[in-house]
Amino acid sequence: MKLSEQLKNERPMLSFEVFPPKTEARFEPIMSAVEGIAKLDPAYMSVTYGAGGGTSQYTVEIAKRIKAMNVTPLAHLTCVSSDEETVRTQLTALQAAGIENILALRGDLPEDYVPGPYRHASELIDEIHRFSPDFCIGGACYPEGHPESARQKDDIQHLKEKVDRGCEFLTTQMFFDNDLFYNFMFKIRQAGINVPIVAGIMPVTNAAQISRIVDLSGAFMPQSFLNIVDHFRDDPASIYEAGIAYATEQIVDLFANGIDHVHVYSMNKPDVAAAIQNNLKGILGKTK
């Protein structure tokens, strides 16, 4: 099913992200985790795409297997390190696998970056539309502003351009303060961006994740969250439980404020995905 249709449902929906292995030797262990998450029957599952397309073959294969398990797949596709042939080869593979949904991303700039045919996700969106009108295309957005954008106003204008070029839904970067997200929602709706917004939530279940999150996203961490990390840092079982509780509380607040679609960055951890879904089973109407 195309996510543009699925996201029209005005009921709480939970989806999960998984990532492919970097080597063939890791494929089956990661596939086992993917299958564990798929058994939870999420609204859909997204599959990331390594820098420069390094995991492209695994992205397609995992998306294809998710589809075979009767879960809607969303395949990531990045472009900044790719040429037209690479992108079209990937689109051909996705089309052949029956994958309808693509999250079109620029991707991180490599250290030796040399500008190619795609400098922005909007150019990838144009390429996907030229290849086939049948794909449902999503994009990324940043509640706290894109790290490379000096002003949030400019970032929102670029986001509007992306939507105007055919982006049908947006998924946010992870955030830990819902008030920042609500402020962002107000601003983008005022700017005329009316596509569905999927809120991205990252459960932090070990202290080591904090530094990685700061390096990757620069997300603001409220004092209440930092207090949890500081207090339970040296107690793995407690920080695991507290991290899931904090993410669950964020999601409950989002649902209560009319944000029906939440995407959990579950880091290939079926236990984390299951714990959060179990905490929300009454809200989601899940029996599993």
Side-chain angles (χ1 to χ4, degrees):
M1 175 185 286
K2 289 187 176 181
L3 290 184
S4 54
E5 293 300 315
Q6 196 168 345
L7 293 173
K8 289 179 181 178
N9 293 330
E10 294 183 357
R11 59 178 179 79
M13 291 169 47
L14 201 65
S15 56
F16 299 107
E17 179 185 274
V18 295
F19 56 84
K22 293 181 179 179
T23 64
E24 187 175 353
R26 291 291 303 156
F27 183 83
E28 289 306 327
I30 284 182
M31 196 62 228
S32 178
V34 169
E35 289 171 356
I37 294 173
K39 287 177 181 177
L40 299 172
D41 190 30
Y44 64 91
M45 290 170 64
S46 71
V47 189
T48 65
Y49 186 81
T55 66
S56 59
Q57 74 222 44
Y58 303 127
T59 298
V60 175
E61 180 60 25
I62 290 175
K64 185 162 60 173
R65 293 204 194 184
I66 289 170
K67 188 174 190 295
M69 290 183 277
N70 296 315
V71 176
T72 300
L74 168 63
H76 290 213
L77 181 60
T78 65
C79 64
V80 73
S81 299
S82 300
D83 57 23
E84 293 174 357
E85 182 180 359
T86 301
V87 168
R88 286 188 162 259
T89 297
Q90 189 71 357
L91 291 173
T92 298
L94 290 169
Q95 188 179 59
I99 309 303
E100 298 178 292
N101 305 294
I102 296 175
L103 192 69
L105 305 165
R106 186 198 70 174
D108 296 329
L109 296 175
E111 292 183 6
D112 57 349
Y113 173 63
V114 176
Y118 312 107
R119 293 180 298 169
H120 306 287
S122 56
E123 293 163 342
L124 177 58
I125 291 169
D126 290 342
E127 183 65 53
I128 296 170
H129 279 304
R130 284 193 295 268
F131 181 87
S132 171
D134 296 329
F135 285 116
C136 172
I137 306 171
C141 60
Y142 299 80
E144 299 172 54
H146 193 284
E148 297 172 22
S149 181
R151 298 191 307 168
Q152 189 180 48
K153 182 178 179 180
D154 296 335
D155 187 37
I156 290 174
Q157 181 56 44
H158 293 318
L159 192 62
K160 177 69 163 56
E161 293 168 6
K162 189 158 59 175
V163 170
D164 289 345
R165 290 166 88 157
C167 184
E168 298 178 71
F169 65 95
L170 296 165
T171 302
T172 76
Q173 174 65 276
M174 68 186 80
F175 59 90
F176 298 91
D177 185 331
N178 285 10
D179 287 340
L180 290 174
F181 171 75
Y182 298 137
N183 182 266
F184 171 73
M185 285 291 293
F186 175 79
K187 290 178 180 178
I188 64 173
R189 294 311 191 207
Q190 286 289 102
I193 298 173
N194 296 312
V195 297
I197 307 297
V198 182
I201 297 297
M202 167 72 85
V204 176
T205 55
N206 65 77
Q209 284 181 274
I210 295 296
S211 59
R212 291 199 298 271
I213 290 169
V214 171
D215 289 342
L216 287 172
S217 70
F220 170 74
M221 296 181 180
Q223 192 60 49
S224 59
F225 177 76
L226 294 174
N227 289 344
I228 290 171
V229 175
D230 288 341
H231 187 76
F232 296 114
R233 180 180 298 276
D234 298 322
D235 184 345
S238 293
I239 197 169
Y240 177 90
E241 186 173 309
I244 288 172
Y246 188 90
T248 300
E249 184 177 350
Q250 275 193 276
I251 295 168
V252 169
D253 182 74
L254 290 165
F255 287 159
N257 282 278
I259 306 302
D260 294 321
H261 311 124
V262 175
H263 193 56
V264 178
Y265 299 115
S266 49
M267 302 297 290
N268 289 6
K269 295 178 180 178
D271 56 316
V272 171
I276 290 176
Q277 182 166 288
N278 187 61
N279 287 344
L280 300 165
K281 62 184 178 182
I283 296 171
L284 297 169
K286 293 286 185 182
T287 58
K288 293 184 180 182

